[in-house]
Amino acid sequence: MGAQRIKGLSLKGVVAHFLKKSFSRRKSGDIAQKNTETSLIEKFLYPKFGPGQLWEHVADLVRGAGGDIHFGIQIDKIRVEGDRVVSVEGVNQAGERAAFAGAYFFSTMPVRDLIRAISATAPEKVPAEVTEVSEGLMYRDFITVGLLASRLAVTEKDGSPLKDNWIYIQEPDVVVGRLQIFNNWSPWLVAGQDKVWIGLEYFCNETDPLWKLSDDEMARFAIAELQKSAFSRQRMSKTPMSSAFPNLSAYFGSYDRFDVIRSYLDRFENLFLVGRNGMHKYNNQDHSMLTAMTAVENIVNGVTAKDNIWAINTEMEYHEKKAAQ
């Protein structure tokens, strides 16, 4: 993860960026930063009400074009015939099964779950080596606890509110890994501008005691951790949010043999793996969207090879170094 954030960054690059920024005549509203290292980007486009606003708009476009969107269905069976996927099947929250046939399929589900779903309907179709590598893939789970503060004790040097979007926590006596300040992503994410909406992020495993805490217990735990840290003088209000996001891909376990899985899944000409979990690849959001866009272009142009999808963002050196770390 760290290699993704600081790839290409060097002390020389930081100094050059500072000098260029100091003497540049670029207009203050200009966000064209294609030649700027990712870690040094200072401005970017962001939806007014957060990333979800973008996907809500996409959903409206899909429905407006006559499409259907089904939520709350856990896909556990994928039926294949020859080199094509013919349908997917899953269970909704009421325990009812539903099946969907299609001409093309995009998968953003964890690769391990994808292989299991194919094996559930056609175990003879999945080579033993593919199953072995798939079951060896490792994932991390993720919890966000939202806290609404009257103020933050920590400020910028001039006394103004912190300008960071997120802050990585290095203190050894707390479990929290990162803190977000949602106000700094977009002021419209917080109803009252006299409040600070922060998110404490925990990286854990589903088997950890932390994962099993109730929302109230998790909120109290987060407040206690915040009181230990440099942000300890906040006046906290009630804690209305605790959200969990499981299955973040990790480059450990059997990942050094992932090509075995890719070679197998690429055979299905109408199946396209996209996004972070779908490709078990730590892409940024823009790269994840680009994989889906490229998959659609392949379909439109009759391209069944997946090489151009897998090639997106492959300049990241940490992919090649993963086995040695």
Side-chain angles (χ1 to χ4, degrees), residues 99-120:
F100 305 90
Y104 298 97
F105 295 83
F106 298 86
S107 175
T108 61
M109 66 194 297
V111 171
R112 185 173 60 192
D113 294 345
L114 176 65
I115 296 297
R116 288 175 179 175
I118 295 175
S119 185

Side-chain angles (χ1 to χ4, degrees), residues 92-103:
N92 63 21
Q93 295 173 338
E96 303 165 332
R97 298 201 68 85
F100 305 90

Side-chain angles (χ1 to χ4, degrees), residues 265-283:
L265 292 175
D266 280 356
R267 298 174 189 173
F268 297 104
E269 59 185 31
N270 65 335
L271 173 64
F272 298 87
L273 275 58
V274 298
R276 278 189 180 180
N277 276 333
M279 303 177 74
H280 204 90
K281 187 175 180 182
Y282 192 79
N283 282 328

Side-chain angles (χ1 to χ4, degrees), residues 112 138-143 175 202-213 245-248 250 252:
R112 185 173 60 192
M138 297 183 68
Y139 296 87
R140 294 301 306 276
D141 297 309
F142 181 76
I143 298 172
V175 182
Y202 291 87
F203 312 105
C204 60
N205 292 314
E206 197 172 22
T207 54
D208 293 343
L210 193 69
W211 187 265
K212 297 178 174 61
L213 295 179
F245 301 89
N247 292 331
L248 298 178
F252 304 104

Side-chain angles (χ1 to χ4, degrees), residues 49-112:
F49 296 111
Q53 182 182 11
L54 171 63
W55 305 118
E56 289 168 356
H57 179 63
V58 170
D60 289 339
L61 293 176
V62 170
R63 295 189 186 98
D68 294 321
I69 301 177
H70 302 272
F71 296 99
I73 298 177
Q74 184 70 37
I75 299 299
D76 57 6
K77 292 183 179 180
I78 298 176
R79 301 188 183 279
V80 298
E81 293 180 1
D83 292 333
R84 293 183 63 83
V85 175
V86 295
S87 67
V88 299
E89 184 177 327
V91 182
N92 63 21
Q93 295 173 338
E96 303 165 332
R97 298 201 68 85
F100 305 90
Y104 298 97
F105 295 83
F106 298 86
S107 175
T108 61
M109 66 194 297
V111 171
R112 185 173 60 192

Side-chain angles (χ1 to χ4, degrees), residues 288-301:
S288 296
M289 291 189 289
L290 186 56
T291 59
M293 294 165 67
T294 302
V296 172
E297 290 176 355
N298 284 358
I299 293 173
V300 172
N301 296 321

Side-chain angles (χ1 to χ4, degrees), residues 170-278:
Q170 304 296 329
E171 297 177 55
D173 58 339
V174 295
V175 182
V176 61
R178 190 170 68 178
L179 184 145
Q180 287 199 60
I181 304 176
F182 297 116
N183 304 58
N184 293 343
W185 289 109
S186 170
W188 286 276
L189 292 178
V190 184
Q193 292 304 301
D194 59 333
K195 303 292 184 181
V196 182
W197 181 240
I198 59 177
L200 284 76
E201 301 181 356
Y202 291 87
F203 312 105
C204 60
N205 292 314
E206 197 172 22
T207 54
D208 293 343
L210 193 69
W211 187 265
K212 297 178 174 61
L213 295 179
S214 68
D215 285 359
D216 287 342
E217 291 171 331
M218 192 70 227
R220 288 195 293 271
F221 180 82
I223 291 174
E225 289 229 304
L226 206 61
Q227 291 172 342
K228 293 180 185 178
S229 72
F231 298 86
S232 61
R233 293 189 296 278
Q234 284 73 249
R235 295 193 299 273
M236 308 310 300
S237 70
K238 293 183 179 179
T239 54
M241 181 187 78
S242 176
S243 302
F245 301 89
N247 292 331
L248 298 178
S249 305
Y251 295 133
F252 304 104
S254 60
Y255 182 73
D256 59 339
R257 298 167 61 197
F258 189 80
D259 285 348
V260 172
I261 296 177
R262 175 186 163 181
S263 178
Y264 168 71
L265 292 175
D266 280 356
R267 298 174 189 173
F268 297 104
E269 59 185 31
N270 65 335
L271 173 64
F272 298 87
L273 275 58
V274 298
R276 278 189 180 180
N277 276 333

